[in-house]
Amino acid sequence: MCGIVGFTGSRSAAPVLLKGLGQLEYRGYDSAGIAVLDGGSIRVEKVSGRIAKLCEKTRDGAAVPGVIGIGHTRWATHGAPTDVNAHPHLSNDGRFAIVHNGIIENYLALRDELIADGYVFESETDTETVVHLLEHYYDGDIKAAVMKTAARLEGSYALGILCTDAPDTLYVVREASPLILGIGVGENYFASDVTALVSHTKNVIYLEDGEIARLTPASITVCDCTGREIQKPISRVTWNVEAAEKGGYEHFMLKEIMEQPAAVKAALAPRFRDGRIRLDDLELTAEELRQVNKIIITACGSAYYAGCSGRYAIEKLCRIPVQVELASELRYSDPMVDEHTLVLVISQSGETADTIAALKECRSRGAKILGIVNVVGSTIAKLADYTLYTWAGPEIAVATTKGYTTQLAVLYLFAVCVAEKLGRIGAEQYRNAVRALQSLPKLLQQTIDMNYQLPSVASRYASRSLFFIGRNTDYAVALEGALKMKEISYLHAESYAAGELKHGTIALIDENQPVIAVCCNEALAEKTLSNIVEVKARGAKVLAVAFRGNKGIVSQADDVVFIPRIDSIFSAALAVVPLQLLAYYAAKEKGCDIDKPKNLAKSVTVE
Ligand code: F6R
């Protein structure tokens, strides 16, 4: 959830750290800090609030001399987001400074032990135990102290460590939290995400659990948890720094909404060859697929809602029963999973703690795991038996948009490909499905172009509370639309299966309750239309999302947002776009911090 960075070289470290933190701010933004080593002592500057405040305090780093340092942007777990709880934390003797992303689960026991040994704690954080442990185990050998400390920690951590006794050297260690090393020329870096590295270098090393690295300006050495040196492959980042910048848009979220046609194209295009879908990374034969008697899709948040849409496509085309489970529930549910279950694990970041735990739970019961992941080299991508990357490129806004639509695109590919392999759809249905998917990027662009009027619609519908309704695939879209609205505009939103309204919640409908009705499932359009009539009869103002040419809806809804026609199985990928824009413009009208909504962080690496 937090972001950490480190730099060692021969130029001023603080500006590099602050820039890196700015690029990681999406991971957490309630406080920030840097520690820079200069003249034999470590200077720490930290503030509660945004990185801009830290930049102001340090005059963009100019006030903090030194050529080696570490930095942190925080999403508070233990202790309020105050200056004192902000990282970096210092050891009592001032020799060590550390930054930490993750959670130390046994910190209370460690804290008691350290207090009994005379260590003085300043903060309420779990992290502070780590820096005192380092001091405790240090006898002149930093690597040994790091290893002994790591051996005492339970939970998840990516740690960046600075020590006054090694004035050009950084140490890092990881367990279940992302950590990437950047290889520069005469300088080296570490960060929680490659987005903070690409402006310096495209050559990176992905650290694995249990590994420890030592970085000097001229070298990087990595060893395993026993201290044995290991050779790590160098990976090349394939995207440019511009991909992680706003490129003229006011917000990353708007940029990422607009990037959806290109992102979905990147997810789909390489997987079509000679009019057929080729999922080279899914090495399951027809025979192996025939052994699968159940598919479980597991994920969190929007990725879970992508799974809800995917379920309809898979069940309809493949005729395999699909269960969609929240990862945070599945992990503790004693799930009925065995070697005949295929588990689809969906995650943009590939680092979501609950999703990783659900994956491990299912794996331990014999299931095969297919990861649908955006971030290359992430934990889920590594743990899965097969990984289909969504190729959305870096997603910076906390609220996912292109991450979600590319997940849908990959789920649709999976559904059509597996259905054909199993002989559950005929040649013509297959050809039509392939054609529909090939047209998705173009139709997404049309959807965006057709919805130029959304800012004014949003200002009329952004009331204190909204209802989102739909049936089947449209219900899945309603779930995602309501989440988008809640998380960035802070307006209350309910999503309901339209047919369920009259079982209780219709009591809430009156003239003050706007309803957003998704009506893009042609087989059920008439049914949803009757629900629209029902809520209108109770005074609600209705905004409908429907296929272009749906005349019936114009006479019933107060406002209609149209999308191009596509086979209803795939319509969620288009229907979600006006809902993303609606949330965006509602949040903008309210003056919300769209890219960094309060209390949230992009990558939820804690339970
Ligand atoms: C909502 C949102 C979150 C994520 C969820 C899972 O806009 O972004 O609900 O979808 O935290 O994250 P990943 O996909 O990284 O596992």
Side-chain angles (χ1 to χ4, degrees):
M1 314 277 283
C2 306
I4 65 171
V5 287
F7 170 81
T8 175
S10 54
R11 59 186 164 131
S12 186
V16 180
L17 298 172
L18 291 170
K19 183 172 172 207
L21 290 180
Q23 275 147 340
L24 295 180
E25 201 173 17
Y26 70 90
R27 300 178 67 85
Y29 32 83
D30 55 39
S31 47
I34 54 174
V36 176
L37 175 55
D38 189 42
S41 68
I42 296 172
R43 171 155 163 205
V44 175
E45 293 291 348
K46 49 191 192 177
V47 294
S48 58
R50 295 291 166 90
I51 288 158
K53 206 168 140 194
L54 185 62
C55 291
E56 207 179 300
K57 187 175 181 210
T58 60
R59 288 190 287 111
D60 289 325
V64 188
V67 294
I68 179 169
I70 54 180
H72 188 271
T73 179
R74 180 167 186 246
W75 186 87
T77 55
H78 295 65
T82 57
D83 287 4
V84 83
N85 286 334
H87 302 209
H89 292 286
L90 275 178
S91 58
N92 286 169
D93 61 5
R95 187 179 261 130
F96 289 99
I98 65 159
V99 285
H100 168 218
N101 171 30
I103 285 191
I104 307 303
E105 285 166 4
N106 59 334
Y107 85 103
L108 281 175
L110 293 172
R111 193 182 163 100
D112 289 347
E113 184 185 314
L114 286 158
I115 288 173
D117 280 345
Y119 290 92
V120 178
F121 280 74
E122 280 192 347
S123 76
E124 300 154 272
T125 64
D126 52 336
T127 303
E128 204 184 336
T129 53
V130 183
V131 78
H132 299 319
L133 272 181
L134 278 169
E135 179 181 338
H136 179 74
Y137 286 123
Y138 182 63
D139 60 5
D141 182 343
I142 303 172
K143 186 172 132 188
V146 174
M147 284 168 56
K148 283 181 192 155
T149 299
R152 297 290 317 278
L153 304 178
E154 287 166 20
S156 60
Y157 49 86
L159 294 166
I161 300 160
L162 191 58
C163 178
T164 51
D165 290 351
D168 69 346
T169 307
L170 296 170
Y171 283 84
V172 293
V173 54
R174 94 155 242 179
E175 183 67 41
S177 286
L179 193 52
I180 299 124
L181 313 180
I183 307 166
V185 179
E187 53 190 40
N188 286 310
Y189 328 80
F190 71 79
S192 301
D193 186 335
V194 275
T195 43
L197 299 175
V198 277
S199 61
H200 304 295
T201 178
K202 290 198 169 175
N203 295 327
V204 299
I205 294 172
Y206 292 95
L207 223 56
E208 311 274 340
D209 285 351
E211 291 176 350
I212 299 167
R214 178 179 179 275
L215 292 79
T216 68
S219 69
I220 292 182
T221 43
V222 181
C223 61
D224 64 18
C225 59
T226 66
R228 191 176 53 91
E229 201 171 312
I230 46 178
Q231 289 307 315
K232 295 285 292 179
I234 296 173
S235 305
R236 192 107 183 118
V237 180
T238 50
W239 42 268
N240 290 325
V241 68
E242 295 76 49
E245 287 173 352
K246 276 192 208 148
Y249 287 97
E250 193 178 347
H251 297 101
F252 278 112
M253 182 175 177
L254 188 59
K255 174 180 178 246
E256 288 159 8
I257 290 173
M258 298 304 175
E259 279 174 351
Q260 289 179 109
V264 166
K265 190 169 180 186
L268 293 173
R271 285 154 173 159
F272 293 121
R273 284 202 292 282
D274 309 323
R276 300 187 61 76
I277 298 170
R278 312 275 176 193
L279 296 182
D280 296 336
D281 305 319
L282 181 65
E283 298 140 12
L284 284 172
T285 61
E287 199 35 56
E288 284 167 320
L289 285 169
R290 263 188 272 282
Q291 303 300 314
V292 173
N293 58 19
K294 174 163 84 173
I295 290 176
I296 289 186
I297 302 180
T298 190
C300 299
S302 292
Y304 168 79
Y305 294 144
C308 293
S309 286
R311 172 191 148 208
Y312 292 112
I314 298 168
E315 285 194 333
K316 187 153 179 91
L317 297 172
C318 307
R319 308 310 293 163
I320 302 174
V322 181
Q323 239 174 279
V324 193
E325 299 284 349
L326 289 165
S328 53
E329 290 291 317
L330 183 71
R331 61 183 294 189
Y332 297 119
S333 69
D334 192 7
M336 294 208 285
V337 169
D338 61 23
E339 64 280 13
H340 298 296
T341 315
L342 177 63
V343 178
L344 273 49
V345 177
I346 308 175
S347 176
Q348 188 285 128
S349 63
E351 300 292 349
T352 302
D354 282 321
T355 312
I356 294 170
L359 181 161
K360 289 181 176 164
E361 184 61 40
C362 294
R363 151 83 53 73
S364 72
R365 292 163 191 249
K368 280 267 182 275
I369 312 289
L370 166 62
I372 297 179
V373 177
N374 188 35
V375 177
V376 176
S378 57
T379 304
I380 292 175
K382 287 198 186 114
L383 290 175
D385 298 295
Y386 319 100
T387 297
L388 292 175
Y389 282 112
T390 53
W391 300 125
E395 191 179 59
I396 310 292
V398 164
T400 184
T401 51
K402 64 175 181 168
Y404 168 88
T405 36
T406 51
Q407 286 162 356
L408 289 185
V410 170
L411 285 162
Y412 296 157
L413 283 173
F414 170 86
V416 178
C417 177
V418 170
E420 200 258 350
K421 269 195 186 178
L422 291 173
R424 306 270 155 88
I425 53 173
E428 195 182 338
Q429 200 182 354
Y430 180 71
R431 266 196 308 276
N432 289 342
V434 168
R435 260 198 297 271
L437 291 180
Q438 283 173 324
S439 69
L440 250 187
K442 186 183 76 201
L443 297 182
L444 270 164
Q445 191 56 56
Q446 286 177 15
T447 307
I448 290 171
D449 296 344
M450 284 162 74
N451 285 299
Y452 57 88
Q453 85 285 23
L454 265 162
S456 62
V457 177
S459 69
R460 279 184 280 122
Y461 281 83
S463 82
R464 81 198 141 83
S465 160
L466 292 113
F467 259 62
F468 287 71
I469 61 168
R471 288 170 180 260
N472 194 270
T473 43
D474 291 336
Y475 173 45
V477 179
L479 290 163
E480 172 61 5
L483 177 61
K484 286 284 92 79
M485 186 60 81
K486 282 183 270 211
E487 67 177 328
I488 61 164
S489 74
Y490 317 144
L491 293 172
H492 170 254
E494 289 270 346
S495 39
Y496 249 79
E500 190 62 17
L501 272 181
K502 55 174 89 61
H503 297 287
T505 30
I506 201 160
L508 293 169
I509 303 290
D510 62 19
E511 60 286 357
N512 298 316
Q513 183 57 72
V515 174
I516 317 296
V518 188
C519 216
C520 302
N521 190 305
E522 291 195 288
L524 297 167
E526 285 300 313
K527 302 283 174 201
T528 310
L529 203 57
S530 13
N531 299 121
I532 292 177
V533 173
E534 282 160 12
V535 294
K536 284 227 42 95
R538 280 143 187 96
K541 192 162 65 153
V542 175
L543 167 65
V545 180
F547 283 150
R548 182 166 45 195
N550 182 339
K551 295 208 177 71
I553 206 129
V554 179
S555 57
Q556 298 301 339
D558 296 276
D559 294 280
V560 185
V561 170
F562 288 110
I563 63 167
R565 191 169 285 278
I566 189 169
D567 187 327
S568 295
I569 307 180
F570 309 130
S571 61
L574 303 182
V576 75
V577 175
L579 302 188
Q580 296 167 341
L581 288 165
L582 194 71
Y584 174 82
Y585 288 116
K588 193 167 166 204
E589 169 115 352
K590 283 189 69 198
C592 300
D593 190 347
I594 293 178
D595 285 336
K596 301 184 194 81
K598 66 179 181 204
N599 304 337
L600 295 178
K602 181 88 185 146
S603 178
V604 186
T605 53
V606 295
E607 185 176 349

